[in-house]
Amino acid sequence: MSRKFFVCGNWKMNGDKASLGELMKTLNSAKVDPSVEVVCGSPAVYLDFVRSTLDAKFGVAAQNCYKVAKGAFTGEISPAMIKDCGAHWVILGHSERRHVFGESDELIGKKTAHVLENGLRVVACVGEKLEEREAGITEKVVFAQTKFFADNVKDWSKVVLAYEPVWAIGTGRTAPPQQAQEVHEKLREWLRANVSEAVGDSVRIIYGGSVTGGTCKELGGQKDIDGFLVGGASLKPEFIDIINAKQ
Ligand code: PGA
């Protein structure tokens, strides 16, 4: 089954109108593989600006949102607001949300359900910490995190699963391609067994954690790696090489 390669930039809390404007100018004029789906994860305050500046062939994602439509939740944003800015994706369960801001699996699950009910799509992130890998419980951890997503997803065609080992994020320590492939394959098996064969076959599972222009080709060549979630390198022209990893 062919799964459309998916590359999502995660700009995190970086950039300003000037630098992101420059970056988008570079992206808009770049030669990008038309068979790849590309999405840029913008800081919430710039969603409108990014959507109106970025070429329509690129999708736009928010990096987080809250679990309800509106109300007295100072500082939060809702899927409805994200949609109102013209964006169609939300990144949920990112390791920084889990481990810096203490988001629980339960909260991430509720956000997922609410985002999907509002017609947006989700980049659903899972990944083990270094001590969890060293303790040999990587699968247990990522399966448990995936279950919280699965319990809140009705239509998996609206979800991309992102495997991001925490120890590889922002560290320059990309997971060895074989090792990443192993986890992707296990996640696919888990989806086959716990959701359905069809979902296991069709869901895109992308890798994140220090992906660069140098590491993307070998990673992208793995059977179960269907694209990337890219932090640091998504702020550089190098992002174009990552988009074109399969060429
Ligand atoms: P990185 O970030 O590419 O800078 O490691 C990836 C991510 O956090 O999504």
Side-chain angles (χ1 to χ4, degrees):
M1 157 160 319
S2 88
R3 296 179 294 263
K4 190 172 189 174
F5 209 69
F6 184 95
V7 178
C8 184
N10 176 9
W11 296 343
K12 308 192 180 183
M13 198 177 73
N14 291 301
D16 52 23
K17 282 193 183 175
S19 64
L20 296 176
E22 275 305 309
L23 177 66
M24 289 188 278
K25 226 199 280 175
T26 306
L27 286 176
N28 287 347
S29 60
K31 216 169 156 276
V32 295
D33 183 341
S35 69
V36 177
E37 184 169 1
V38 181
V39 174
C40 293
S42 163
V45 286
Y46 295 137
L47 280 170
D48 217 355
F49 165 62
V50 169
R51 183 61 287 171
S52 60
T53 309
L54 207 50
D55 192 280
K57 67 175 177 283
F58 301 114
V60 176
Q63 300 170 10
N64 187 31
C65 71
Y66 199 48
K67 62 177 178 177
V68 296
K70 61 180 177 167
F73 302 104
T74 302
E76 294 293 327
I77 61 168
S78 70
M81 292 168 180
I82 294 165
K83 206 154 77 172
D84 204 25
C85 291
H88 293 103
W89 289 89
V90 187
I91 300 168
L92 290 177
H94 188 275
S95 127
E96 284 141 25
R97 297 305 319 171
R98 291 177 189 272
H99 305 302
V100 180
F101 298 99
E103 289 193 8
S104 65
D105 283 315
E106 288 80 6
L107 176 60
I108 295 162
K110 283 184 181 142
K111 290 180 179 197
T112 302
H114 183 62
V115 165
L116 294 171
E117 275 157 21
N118 278 269
L120 294 170
R121 294 157 189 256
V122 173
V123 176
C125 306
V126 300
E128 83 287 3
K129 295 194 258 187
L130 184 59
E131 60 265 32
E132 293 166 335
R133 172 158 288 273
E134 286 171 350
I137 56 168
T138 296
E139 282 171 34
K140 184 169 164 245
V141 169
V142 299
F143 291 169
Q145 292 170 339
T146 305
K147 181 165 184 350
F148 276 93
F149 283 115
D151 288 345
N152 290 283
V153 174
K154 293 195 186 93
D155 179 358
W156 277 89
S157 72
K158 305 289 193 287
V159 179
V160 168
L161 190 59
Y163 169 58
E164 294 203 302
V166 179
W167 46 269
I169 298 176
T171 58
R173 202 181 146 192
T174 319
Q178 286 312 123
Q179 199 181 84
Q181 159 60 27
E182 221 170 83
V183 180
H184 282 233
E185 190 172 3
K186 296 280 181 208
L187 283 168
R188 205 175 289 294
E189 278 169 19
W190 188 93
L191 290 169
R192 282 202 185 97
N194 294 278
V195 181
S196 73
E197 288 271 334
V199 165
D201 287 342
S202 61
V203 166
R204 291 170 292 180
I205 307 178
I206 63 174
Y207 167 81
S210 299
V211 176
T212 64
T215 57
C216 65
K217 279 201 188 298
E218 204 185 338
L219 282 162
Q222 304 298 313
K223 179 164 79 56
D224 291 291
I225 298 184
D226 306 312
F228 307 111
L229 183 51
V230 188
S234 71
L235 291 158
K236 304 176 191 160
E238 181 183 354
F239 187 54
I240 294 154
D241 300 331
I242 298 173
I243 295 169
N244 294 331
K246 296 288 264 187
Q247 282 186 329

